[in-house]
Every structure is written in C-alpha cells, then in structure tokens.
Amino acid sequence: LAKTTQPISMDSYEGQEVNITCSHNNIATNDYITWYQQFPSQGPRFIIQGYKTKVTNEVASLFIPADRKSSTLSLPRVSLSDTAVYYCLVGELWSSASKIIFGSGTRLSIRP
Amino acid sequence: GAVVSQHPSWVICKSGTSVKIECRSLDFQATTMFWYRQFPKQSLMLMATSNEGSKATYEQGVEKDKFLINHASLTLSTLTVTSAHPEDSSFYICSARVGWQGSTLNTEAFFGQGTRLTVV
C-alpha cells in the first residue's frame, strides 16, 4: 500500500478556493486515489476518486499529474461547513479484498 | 449513495461487560466490510476486514479474541467488544463495499455514522 503524506492542518476563509495536496511517491500502477471528508463524530464521506489527469464532480476537483506521485484536492468557494478532516487514500481497486487504509489526514478550518 | 447504518450510535457499558455493535448495509449487499477505531484527534485505524461467510482478517496488534467480528450475511456485520475496559473507549466505524456484481466491480466504500463506546 502506498504511503501518503498530507499537511496536518490548513486554514482558509469563506469563499476562497482551497487546495490540499497529497504526496504518494510509491503509488503503484493499479492504484487509484480517493479523497474522503470526515466531520467530528461521523463516519468518512466519499468526495472524489481518480486515476490520472483531472476529475471533477459537483463538490470538488482532483488534479493528478502525469507521474501520479501527488494529487491535489481542490474545493471551490469553501464555506464554514467545509471545516472537516480530509483524507487522501491510495490503493488498488481491482481486488475486491483490498484494504482501505487511512493516513493522518488534513484538518481544514474555514473562518468567516 | 448507498447507506450503511450502525447501531447503536453511542453506548456506555461497565468494565468487564461485552458490547455488540451492528453494521448494516441498507440498500446493497456488501461482500466486504471493514471495522475501524478512532481515538480523538487521530485518524481511523483499520482493525479488521471481513468477507461474508468467512473469518475476519485482523490487523497486526488487534486482539481477535477481544474484538469478535461476525459477517454472517451480505447486509450485516457485527463487532463485539468482549470484557471491555476503559482503554477500549473509542469511536468505532464500519465500512461496507459492494465488490464484484457479475462482471462489474463497484469499488466505492460506504461508511457508517460510527459508534461512540464509553467504558466506565
């Protein structure tokens, strides 16, 4: 399983774009990159997943460079409700038995 | 998205007693379920992986006799904390993944809302 490194914490303000970068130097060919969001005393919630280039959904974008050794989660125009911990996960998805291992995550605080 | 429900949401028990936590996939069949524990301000730590109908695979350092996991059906997995002690107090979270459906692989994992266990 590829190890991931994220900033421990980040601060931003409402209305700003927030970019959280995750480093995964040992990513394998079959590995996908997945981001989860977790609020206090709740289970994680899926945000976005990608393999390469750029993926966009209704809540976020995921940028993955050609070498795939890092990825950036982009949250457009954040609000106070985006205050949460964000986890970057890397793992093989072709196997239904592959584990889901969480790293340390990034604690994002949004201020008015 | 699919729903995974945990019960109870919180529980307080006396030291030495056992507590069972249920994890149900409400609108899909889960071939694989995961159990995590999370201490305050820390990340989720994987305890075990269970596949329906087979024994759970525990992570290193997790006592299988203390944390009993049963995955008897495709929609239900249970975690029983036996002879609980105050140090077992934590936030326990389950996750369920569909896996293969015929020739289609559904890899998204859905998480329960968690169970706060307090042992007094």
Side-chain angles (χ1 to χ4, degrees), chain A residues 87-108:
Chain A
Y87 294 97
C88 161
L89 282 70
V90 173
E92 180 180 338
L93 298 182
W94 302 123
S95 169
S96 60
S98 62
K99 300 178 184 180
I100 301 175
I101 304 293
F102 285 78
S104 57
T106 297
R107 190 170 298 273
L108 176 65

Side-chain angles (χ1 to χ4, degrees), chain A residues 32-59:
Chain A
Y32 272 68
I33 301 157
T34 310
W35 285 80
Y36 284 89
Q37 175 192 56
Q38 186 184 26
F39 296 113
S41 297
Q42 293 187 28
R45 184 177 73 101
F46 174 90
I47 301 175
I48 198 166
Q49 183 180 81
Y51 183 80
K52 62 181 179 180
T53 61
K54 176 183 176 182
V55 180
T56 298
N57 62 23
E58 62 275 10
V59 298

Side-chain angles (χ1 to χ4, degrees), chain A residues 36 38 40-46 49 87 92-105 107, chain B residues 32 34 36 38 41-44 46 49 59 91 93 95 97 99-100 105 107-109 111-114 116:
Chain A
Y36 284 89
Q38 186 184 26
S41 297
Q42 293 187 28
R45 184 177 73 101
F46 174 90
Q49 183 180 81
Y87 294 97
E92 180 180 338
L93 298 182
W94 302 123
S95 169
S96 60
S98 62
K99 300 178 184 180
I100 301 175
I101 304 293
F102 285 78
S104 57
R107 190 170 298 273
Chain B
T32 305
F34 306 89
Y36 300 83
Q38 185 176 32
K41 305 290 187 183
Q42 294 188 22
S43 181
L44 286 76
L46 180 64
T49 302
E59 294 299 302
F91 192 55
I93 305 169
S95 174
R97 186 165 62 194
W100 286 100
L105 179 61
T107 59
E108 186 174 348
F111 288 81
Q113 75 274 26
R116 174 77 57 193

Side-chain angles (χ1 to χ4, degrees), chain A residues 39 63 65 68 79:
Chain A
F39 296 113
F63 299 92
R68 304 201 324 123
S79 64

